């Protein structure tokens, strides 16, 4: 049996029981490798139900800096008897199985093509600790210590992380260090056969930071000027509001008076939370809510009101698996159509698609500007993979001289001077009307806010021409939005090609890796990463320039492809679906296989392109 050998390039997966305290230990493992200058991409795969169910934590160690899921497992740390068979089956031939050997297992429970490393973790912990909970918790630290020796992770790095985590809590620090050394010492003395997977110090992290997308979006809302948040707890978005409260407590409390300069409401349900946000936006505050797909469904009527009454609202949608309650702790990009056309009647909403925590920060702040500028709901379309998993990304940047874009707000002075005010009147040709805020002037600038039809001066009207004027003006405003939203990012191929690929959001890191692999196979693609809807003119041009365009997305129904066809009258025949929707993040291997297979099939049928000819 040939064992897998790799330095700074492997995948290790931890199979644990939910509620066992393993998550913090596994995260410690990942951070230790990161501190050694080697990029990692960890993902926590956890159940949506109660304690005792299976949970997994996957760490991709990648000196090349690939941050998407690779696919496949090189080492399995199997700590859950319930999932043993499936976990063992997942290992690549020549891989490594690390397990608790306190209780002997029959040979039938193992595979002949993997290397088995047994360590009596339970026996070790039972001999040292008396408290059952301590035995369970410290067993996780013990295996981290053993893995450190087996893989070449410096124990001193782990100890330093402990020191930072338990600063001022010496008792906890000492007990965790003790457990770490129990594992290190056992491995040195008893697990002497070399393991082919190694971590070696490098300098490939640079100045990048390690943060989750939900925290990044919350901080973006703070910097973007949000002062009101209303939410109802729902996985995987709850930590957005929790992080916003933490940051507001740090940055939005007057140091001299102790006065809070923010309002955070945990409402009784999603309807109430969006209602609070709509009311705050109407009153001139920058306000947002954070939710997921089921919450969007419940908020739809208020979203339609905000669209037609033209009230600034920001929604951070951390997407998860659907329909209905679906897979609450799995990731998808399946709310695109739901959000793009949220509400009954003819509605169209602005969507932003961040690719990582850095853009979660940027897009959350930008969404608040866009909502004010356009006087409309704006969705930040993140997902569980970005939102709840820590990821390396560029440091956040902010220009302190930046002025918030509050859009077209008429002042008391302008009203007093006799400026004509029609709340829903297009005076600038961009479809965006002027608004006033409550209390701007004692007698001028007032209007009725309603969700029913009206004329340009906000007077109730059911006249067809008034309705058509408003609806066409809203379309004009939507066209203006296409010039204001974050523009697509183009990655040209190394040579001229008639093949293109469109992708967005959390598919980005796997797509980057896949493009490299495909190029190595002679398949060249021009790539465009969408960052927003409505689509700018550059998307139309990209589609026109290519004979075939792959659309990569994480849902069953090719929702982004449908949006491209519906909004741009794109030829459906040239848009090729690449769909991944099992709830796990898409991998580079999946993308490469799907595109390679299609190009190969096109060659066989004689329907070749420049890129396909290269692959032949």
């Amino acid at each position: 049996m040939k064992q897998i050998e790799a330095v700074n390039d492997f995948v290790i997966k931890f199979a644990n029981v939910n509620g066992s305290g393993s998550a913090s230990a596994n995260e410690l493992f990942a951070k230790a490798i990161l501190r050694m200058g080697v990029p990692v991409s960890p993902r926590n795969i956890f159940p949506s139900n109660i304690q005792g169910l299976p949970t997994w934590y996957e760490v991709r160690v990648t000196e090349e800096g690939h941050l998407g899921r690779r696919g496949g497992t090189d080492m399995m740390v199997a700590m859950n008897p319930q999932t043993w068979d499936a976990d063992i089956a997942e290992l690549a031939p020549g891989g490594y199985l690390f397990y608790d050997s306190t209780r002997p297992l029959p040979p039938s429970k193992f595979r002949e093509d993997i290397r088995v490393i047994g360590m009596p973790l339970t026996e070790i912990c039972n001999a040292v600790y008396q408290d059952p909970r301590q035995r369970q918790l410290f067993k996780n630290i013990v295996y981290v210590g053993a893995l450190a020796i087996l893989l070449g992770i410096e124990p001193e790095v782990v100890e330093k992380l402990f020191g930072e985590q338990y600063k001022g809590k010496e008792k906890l620090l000492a007990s965790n260090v003790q457990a770490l050394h129990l594992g290190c010492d056992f491995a040195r003395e008893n697990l002497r056969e070399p393991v082919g997977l190694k971590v070696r110090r490098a300098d490939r992290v640079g100045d990048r930071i390690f943060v989750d997308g939900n925290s990044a979006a919350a901080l973006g809302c703070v910097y973007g000027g949000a002062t009101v948040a209303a939410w109802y707890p729902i996985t995987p978005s709850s930590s957005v509001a929790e992080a916003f409260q933490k940051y507001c407590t740090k940055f939005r409390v007057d140091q001299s008076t102790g006065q809070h300069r923010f309002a955070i409401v945990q409402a009784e349900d999603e309807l109430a939370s969006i209602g609070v946000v709509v009311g705050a936006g109407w009153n001139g505050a920058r306000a947002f809510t954070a939710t997921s797909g089921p919450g969007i469904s419940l908020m739809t009527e208020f979203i339609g009101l905000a669209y037609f009454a033209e009230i600034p609202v920001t929604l951070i949608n951390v997407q998860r698996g659907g329909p209905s309650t679906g897979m609450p702790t799995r990731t998808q990009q399946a709310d695109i159509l739901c959000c793009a056309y949220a509400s009954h009647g003819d509605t169209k909403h602005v969507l932003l698609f961040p690719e990582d925590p850095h853009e979660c920060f940027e897009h959350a702040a930008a969404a608040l500007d866009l909502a004010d500028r356009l006087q409309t709901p704006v969705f930040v379309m993140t997902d569980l993979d970005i939102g709840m998993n820590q990821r390396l990304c560029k440091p956040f940047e902010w220009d302190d001289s930046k002025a918030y874009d509050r859009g077209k707000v008429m002042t008391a002075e302008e009203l007093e001077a006799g400026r004509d005010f029609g709340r829903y009147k297009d005076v600038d040709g961009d479809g965006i009307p002027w608004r006033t805020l409550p209390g701007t002037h004692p007698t001028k600038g007032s209007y009725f806010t309603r969700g029913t039809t009206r004329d340009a001066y906000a007077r109730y009207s059911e006249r067809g021409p008034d309705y058509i004027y408003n609806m066409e003006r809203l379309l004009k405003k939507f066209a203006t939005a296409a010039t204001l939203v974050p523009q697509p990012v183009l990655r040209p191929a190394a040579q001229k090609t008639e093949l293109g690929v469109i992708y967005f959001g959390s598919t980005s890191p796997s797509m980057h890796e896949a493009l490299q692999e495909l190029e190595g196979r002679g398949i060249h693609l021009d790539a465009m990463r969408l960052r927003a809807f409505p689509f700018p003119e550059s998307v139309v041009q990209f589609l026109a320039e290519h004979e075939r365009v792959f659309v990569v997305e994480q849902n069953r129904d090719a929702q982004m492809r449908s949006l491209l066809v519906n909004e741009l009258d794109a030829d459906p025949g040239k848009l090729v679906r690449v769909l991944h929707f099992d709830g796990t993040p898409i991998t580079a291997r999946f993308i490469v296989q799907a595109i390679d297979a299609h190009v190969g099939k096109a060659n066989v049928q004689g329907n070749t392109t420049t890129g396909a000819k290269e692959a032949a």
Side-chain angles (χ1 to χ4, degrees), residues 487-566:
Q487 299 297 293
V489 176
L490 185 64
R491 180 190 183 277
Q495 64 183 58
K496 185 175 176 59
T497 177
E498 294 176 356
L499 292 175
V501 61
I502 283 176
Y503 62 103
F504 60 97
S506 63
T507 60
S508 185
S510 292
M511 192 69 240
H512 293 167
E513 185 177 358
L515 287 169
Q516 293 180 22
E517 173 67 21
L518 288 164
E519 186 174 314
R521 299 185 183 197
I523 301 175
H524 300 277
L525 300 100
D526 293 326
M528 172 173 275
R529 177 167 69 88
L530 301 177
R531 296 205 295 162
F533 172 74
F535 304 122
E537 183 61 31
S538 57
V539 181
V540 179
Q541 186 175 355
F542 184 84
L543 294 174
E545 291 172 349
H546 297 89
E547 288 299 317
R548 189 149 303 174
V549 178
F550 298 94
V551 184
V552 181
E553 47 189 316
Q554 299 184 77
N555 58 66
R556 184 197 69 183
D557 292 344
Q559 294 186 26
M560 182 61 77
R561 179 182 179 276
S562 297
L563 205 58
L564 290 165
V565 171
N566 192 50

Side-chain angles (χ1 to χ4, degrees), residues 104-137:
L105 294 174
S108 60
K109 284 293 186 181
F110 300 96
R111 283 168 45 187
E112 293 184 357
D113 62 344
I114 60 174
R115 159 91 179 278
V116 178
I117 306 168
M119 179 175 174
L121 292 164
T122 301
E123 180 182 317
I124 292 169
C125 291
N126 287 350
V128 177
Y129 305 104
Q130 300 302 313
D131 180 77
R133 184 59 176 164
Q134 280 190 327
R135 288 173 173 175
Q136 176 59 59
L137 293 175

Side-chain angles (χ1 to χ4, degrees), residues 358-418:
H358 181 269
E359 285 197 344
C360 285
F361 172 80
E362 285 191 338
H363 287 191
L368 292 159
D369 264 357
L370 286 167
D372 269 351
R373 172 79 175 182
L374 297 166
Q375 302 170 30
T376 198
V378 176
F379 293 78
V380 180
M381 303 291 288
T382 177
D383 58 37
L384 184 146
D385 185 31
I386 302 174
M388 294 196 71
N389 290 313
Q390 292 180 305
R391 189 176 294 182
L392 280 172
C393 67
K394 294 187 298 184
F396 305 153
E397 296 178 354
W398 188 260
D399 183 358
D400 287 331
S401 65
K402 173 182 171 62
Y404 299 136
D405 186 350
R406 298 311 306 263
K408 298 181 180 181
V409 180
M410 200 169 289
T411 65
E413 291 76 16
E414 290 170 322
L415 291 168
E416 187 64 32

Side-chain angles (χ1 to χ4, degrees), residues 248-269:
C248 283
T249 302
K250 184 175 182 179
F251 298 119
R252 289 274 171 78
V253 177
D254 189 286
Q255 297 300 314
S256 58
T257 65
Q259 182 181 10
H260 288 195
R261 299 180 180 275
F262 62 91
I264 301 174
V265 180
Q266 182 176 325
E268 62 266 33
D269 53 31

Side-chain angles (χ1 to χ4, degrees), residues 184-205:
C184 291
D185 294 343
F186 185 93
R188 288 192 190 99
E189 296 170 10
N190 301 281
L191 306 178
R192 296 182 179 179
E193 188 177 344
V195 170
L197 306 178
K198 291 297 179 185
V199 177
R200 182 177 60 200
R201 269 200 174 270
D203 187 16
R204 301 300 297 271
V205 175

Side-chain angles (χ1 to χ4, degrees), residues 1 5 91 211 251 278 289 320 324 344 346 364 390 554 580:
M1 176 191 65
E5 295 185 358
L91 267 171
V211 65
F251 298 119
V278 170
T289 188
R320 68 188 209 185
S324 188
H344 50 275
D346 292 324
Q390 292 180 305
Q554 299 184 77
H580 183 274

Side-chain angles (χ1 to χ4, degrees), residues 563-575:
L563 205 58
L564 290 165
V565 171
N566 192 50
E567 293 294 323
L568 303 180
D569 289 328
D571 177 7
K574 68 159 51 178
L575 299 182

